[in-house]
């Protein structure tokens, strides 16, 4: 699991041109953010308020083909969702 997280972080930081890996990570971020937010019964606005980001940022996170979020945004959202950053960037338990 840590390996997947480290690869995801390196992918974001390097701006790698590996479109497939970057898109896969975006899909994981989108699906995991939405799944965890809904499990808490929160709206996108509520998550945004708790994370200190806008509702449009949360909406963008939940769209797999949206703009890639910064690691800072992922960290804020993960903290609000009470999970580790890698849990947003890796396959969920359902996907393994």
């Amino acid at each position: 699991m840590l390996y997947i997280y480290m690869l995801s972080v390196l992918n974001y930081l390097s701006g790698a041109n590996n479109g497939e890996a970057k898109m896969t990570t975006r899909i994981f971020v989108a699906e995991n953010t939405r799944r965890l937010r809904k499990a808490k019964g929160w709206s996108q606005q509520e998550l945004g308020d708790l994370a200190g980001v806008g509702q449009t940022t949360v909406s963008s996170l939940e769209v797999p083909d949206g703009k890639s979020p910064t690691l800072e945004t992922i960290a804020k959202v993960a903290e609000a969702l009470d999970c580790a950053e890698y849990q947003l960037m890796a396959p969920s338990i359902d996907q393994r």
Side-chain angles (χ1 to χ4, degrees):
M1 183 62 82
L2 182 59
Y3 177 73
I4 292 171
Y5 170 68
M6 290 172 60
L7 285 177
S8 297
V9 169
L10 288 173
N11 183 38
Y12 269 85
L13 294 177
S14 70
N17 290 328
N18 185 345
E20 185 177 322
K22 195 165 191 172
M23 186 60 184
T24 300
T25 302
R26 281 292 301 126
I27 291 169
F28 295 154
V29 170
E31 290 176 351
N32 292 330
T33 300
R34 175 170 283 206
R35 180 179 48 79
L36 293 169
R37 174 183 62 79
K38 287 189 171 203
K40 293 190 177 284
W42 296 344
S43 67
Q44 290 179 340
Q45 183 66 53
E46 289 170 312
L47 175 55
D49 291 345
L50 290 166
V53 300
Q55 178 274 329
T56 55
T57 299
V58 175
S59 177
S60 178
L61 275 175
E62 293 184 358
V63 177
D65 59 351
K67 180 181 172 192
S68 292
T70 64
L71 290 174
E72 179 182 1
T73 298
I74 290 173
K76 288 179 178 182
V77 170
E79 183 176 349
L81 290 169
D82 194 30
C83 70
E85 292 95 339
Y86 79 85
Q87 290 175 300
L88 293 182
M89 300 173 75
S92 71
I93 292 169
D94 298 339
Q95 295 167 325
R96 290 185 213 152

